[in-house]
Amino acid sequence: MMTYSTEIDTVSIQIDCSSLEEQQGISFMLCRAVTEYNKVYISDNIFTKEREILFNNNRLGKIRLGMNPIWNKSDRQHYMNYYITVSFYGLKSHIGILDNLSIGCLFAVCGILNTFNINYVFTELDVCLDISAKIDNVLAICTTKLSRTEYHLVNNSFYSGDTVYIEKISKDKISHNSQRAYVYNKAKKENLNYPLTRFELKLQKSFFKKELDFATIVNALNRYTVMYFPNIYEKNMIVDKYNSYSRISRRDIERMGLERHRLRPDVVKIERFINNLKNYRLY
C-alpha cells in the first residue's frame, strides 16, 4: 500500500550583526550550543571558510560568517553589515541517527537565539512529499506557473531516470530563483532498501523578502500538483493531455481529473514545525 508524508529537509537562517565583535560573539555562542546539546563537533573548512557541523565525518550543517556593504538611503552612506548564516541540509534523510542529530542541532541554534532574543530570518526552506513508491508511478506538474520562468514539458524533463526537473533553469541562475521543484529517487540517493520517491520544493533566499509568511509557503506549494498512479498507462494519458495544452486553466485541470490522483501536503505539520522553531528556548 502506498503511503506518503510531508517533511522539512532543509532550513537556513541568517543573523545580522552590528559589528565584527557581535558577529564573533554570537558565532561562538552558536557553536557552543550545538556541541553542548548534541554529540557532534565543529570543524573549520579551510577551503570554503565555513564551520562544518559533523558527526562521524557526516556533514549535518554549516555555519558561515560574512559581511557586505549596505546603502542607507536616508543619509546616503554605505554601512558594513556583518552576518551569520546557519544551514542544515538533510533533516529527513531517513537515516535515523543523522536525522535526529540534525534536528537536535537546528533546535539548539534556534533555541539559544530565542532564549537571548536575538533576531534571525529564514533564508531557505525545503518542503518535501516522501512517497513510498517508485518514481515511475509519481508525477508532479506546475499547474500555476510563475511569470518569467520556463518549464520543461512533462514527458521530457527526466534526467538519467532518477530526477525530474520541473522548472527549466540554467546553472548560473539557480541560486537567484525564488523557488524551484523537482522529483527524484530518494531510495537510490540514500541507499534505502525500499522504494521512496521525493517531491521537493526549494524556497530560496529571494523567496523570503520579508518575515516568514506561512500563507505564502502554502501558496507556493499549491502551484504544484503531485500525483500517484498505480497504473503507468493512466499516468501517460495524463501527461499527453497536459502537454496538449498551450495554457492550463483551472477548468482544464478539472477536466483532466488530476484531483483523483493528487497527494496533498500536510500544511498543519509544516506550520507546527516552523512555530516550534520560533518558540523553542533552551532554558
Side-chain angles (χ1 to χ4, degrees), residues 241 245 249-258:
K241 285 181 182 178
Y245 290 95
S249 67
R250 191 170 297 276
R251 184 175 295 179
D252 295 329
I253 292 170
E254 292 172 358
R255 285 174 182 166
M256 286 190 285
L258 302 187

Side-chain angles (χ1 to χ4, degrees), residues 110-269:
C110 292
I112 197 71
L113 295 172
N114 295 335
T115 300
F116 289 99
N117 296 314
I118 298 172
N119 292 328
Y120 58 92
V121 294
F122 289 83
T123 56
E124 191 175 2
L125 192 71
D126 288 2
V127 182
C128 309
L129 282 180
D130 281 353
I131 306 154
S132 64
K134 294 181 178 180
I135 193 169
D136 291 343
N137 298 89
V138 176
L139 177 65
I141 57 179
C142 183
T143 45
T144 308
K145 296 181 178 180
L146 293 171
S147 60
R148 300 190 300 277
T149 300
E150 288 189 77
Y151 293 84
H152 287 286
L153 285 174
V154 174
N155 61 347
N156 61 342
S157 55
F158 279 84
Y159 175 74
S160 300
D162 295 316
T163 305
V164 182
Y165 297 97
I166 297 175
E167 287 81 6
K168 190 185 292 184
I169 305 170
S170 59
K171 287 185 178 180
D172 59 318
K173 294 182 179 178
I174 278 182
S175 61
H176 300 293
N177 274 63
S178 62
Q179 62 188 71
R180 56 192 175 95
Y182 49 92
V183 178
Y184 67 96
N185 186 340
K186 183 66 173 175
K188 184 173 182 179
K189 181 182 178 182
E190 305 294 352
N191 293 316
L192 304 176
N193 59 3
Y194 51 88
L196 189 68
T197 298
R198 170 170 287 183
F199 165 80
E200 184 165 302
L201 172 61
K202 298 185 74 68
L203 303 176
Q204 303 186 129
K205 189 170 184 177
S206 58
F207 182 88
F208 301 98
K209 291 180 179 178
K210 299 179 181 179
E211 180 65 25
L212 180 66
D213 181 5
F214 179 69
T216 308
I217 295 174
V218 174
N219 288 338
L221 281 167
N222 286 339
R223 291 182 178 275
Y224 301 89
T225 299
V226 184
M227 294 164 283
Y228 166 75
F229 296 87
N231 186 312
I232 302 297
Y233 175 74
E234 193 171 0
K235 173 187 170 181
N236 291 336
M237 286 181 60
I238 293 292
V239 169
D240 291 340
K241 285 181 182 178
Y242 179 83
N243 285 335
S244 69
Y245 290 95
S246 57
R247 296 183 65 181
I248 299 287
S249 67
R250 191 170 297 276
R251 184 175 295 179
D252 295 329
I253 292 170
E254 292 172 358
R255 285 174 182 166
M256 286 190 285
L258 302 187
E259 287 296 325
R260 291 189 294 116
H261 309 280
R262 189 170 188 176
L263 308 178
R264 292 191 173 275
D266 185 347
V267 294
V268 174
K269 182 178 181 180

